[in-house]
Amino acid sequence: MIYLDNAATTKMSEEVFDAMKPYFCEQYANPSAIYSFAGSAAKAVDEARKKTAALIGARSEEIYFTAGGSESDNWAVRAAAAFGKAKGKHIITSTIEHHAVLHTCQYLEKQGYEVTYVNVDAHGKIKLDALEAAIRPDTILITVMAANNEIGTIQPLKEIGAIAKKNHILFHTDAVQAYGHIPLNVDEMGIDLLSASGHKFNGPKGTGFLYIRRGVRIGALIHGGAQERSRRAGTLNTPNIVGMGVAAELAARSLDERMKKEAALRDYLIDRILKEVPYSRLNGHLTDRLPNNANFCFEFIEGESLLILLDQQGICASSGSACTSGSLDPSHVLLAIGLPHEIAHGSLRLTLSGETTKEEIDFTVEAIKQIVERLRAMSPLYEDSIKRGDINVQ
Amino acid sequence: MYSEKVMDHFNNPRNVGTIENASGVGTVGNAKCGDIMRIYLDIGDDGVIQEAKFKTFGCGAAVATSSMATELVKGKTVQQALEVTNKAVMEALDGLPPVKVHCSLLAEEAIHAALWDYAQKNNLTIEGLKKPVDDIEEKVKEE
């Protein structure tokens, strides 16, 4: 099997698993308990909090553990909206956010908030002038993702943070795809709230965190016990938190080297596809993109068919076609960068890991070439283009 | 998520291709929603479908339903071909996931569109055949 869907989830590393094991059946104490038996669990949670914070230049006490990225996004956006409503009810976001942010914004619109969805350019970068122009006296939150989950484009966080700060507006970033994959620093980038998810960087599923800058007084997500400084009640998930901490530590240690390795392989993949598959295009920014992300469109074919045939060759990938989104529309991200529907339906996302090899990429490129040719041979769109003389077939 | 029959017809689609000077050609669907089917029919003087070919842009179910629909109408009279409904196509494929039912409607519609084209070319009236709808999504909503 060749796993090229690391943006969907990653393999949990063995070191993470080993670190988690003692906290299921041996050190099972509630880390909030007072007796000494709970000491080991409490200490492990503290350690994890430190490691998680270190990767973004935050303080431990600014990390609030959650059950994942979507929870963190929901909490950040809803709580910031509630916190700011005395000042105003206007939120600014981008058109290419993950649904965890987009659908939360749509929910808030029903509650009487106004949301401006700022456009992105053809490479998926937010238009900073449009962002700045969207600011009103009643704007209370800017939420823009750190890097896009589909096309991998990295947003200019530092610039957005500066704009937010200048206008005294809270800045939240959904860093689910970026945390552990590219350098992030909450102070340098002026980030007030940051969401991340453990399983996107070789940690366990069902665990994430929200960074809340000290002094940002957004409300609690879950009321109950005093866990997470009374902002997110519920017994701490010790093994998962410990696992995410170790994953953060490993990610920090390997970051520079992994980024270089992944980016080199990604660029090799992009070069080969664009050179060897006619009528293909790269989606997203050529250089300001996640080191492990490649996203292509192949004209005249549809993504789900492509995925099924790749699967038959043991290759795991994903697509932004309507058939994979469960609706009739292709991905909102691909439409936002200006692709017509029929081209957006033929998208393919390949996301690498630090373990991906050149041999795997070569095998995948050969498979794609053969599958695209096969699907085009049965495509009426291809037939029409040849008849019209739009394309030349050797 | 797909039945073995669907996977078989997707992996080894029957009747892919075109027919030169076909008796009738029907194209339905649109690229916007991600499915386009084109069916070619070769119909003899006796009104029997000699050959059926297709080209499809779409998901696994779209390819499989095109393949099955062309199989089902081959050797049938025009009247019999009209009775090849989307349900018949689905049953022959051992079912489709609910979100893919529209693919079978598209296949039925493509057959009808090709028959309509044949009728137009030959000044025939085929009993029970209506002018094909352009937008299959409208039909899906009505179902």
Side-chain angles (χ1 to χ4, degrees), chain A residues 16-39:
Chain A
V16 169
F17 189 37
D18 288 341
M20 289 168 71
K21 281 176 193 165
Y23 298 96
F24 287 102
C25 303
E26 296 153 37
Q27 301 296 329
Y28 57 82
N30 188 326
S32 308
I34 199 79
Y35 36 77
S36 49
F37 174 47

Side-chain angles (χ1 to χ4, degrees), chain A residues 315-351:
Chain A
I315 301 164
C316 305
S318 81
S319 168
S321 92
C323 281
T324 56
S325 73
S327 76
L328 289 172
D329 282 322
S331 130
H332 65 285
V333 177
L334 298 176
L335 295 179
I337 60 170
L339 294 186
H341 277 72
E342 64 268 31
I343 292 180
H345 282 298
S347 79
L348 176 71
R349 180 185 72 181
L350 301 171
T351 42

Side-chain angles (χ1 to χ4, degrees), chain A residues 300-302 304-305 308-309 312 322-323 328 330 341-342 345 374 377-381 383-384 387, chain B residues 1-2 7 10-11 13 16 18 31-34 36 38 40 55-60 63 100 137:
Chain A
F300 319 114
I301 65 163
E302 193 277 333
E304 191 205 84
S305 291
I308 298 173
L309 293 171
Q312 284 170 6
C323 281
L328 289 172
H341 277 72
E342 64 268 31
H345 282 298
R374 172 176 166 179
M378 66 165 94
S379 167
L381 294 173
E383 181 182 313
D384 291 348
K387 274 189 195 147
Chain B
M1 80 184 219
Y2 288 132
M7 288 306 288
F10 173 70
N11 283 318
V16 174
T18 58
K32 198 168 180 277
C33 70
I36 298 176
R38 179 172 298 158
Y40 298 82
K55 287 231 170 173
T56 289
F57 163 85
C59 61
V63 172
K100 301 291 186 180
E137 298 317 322

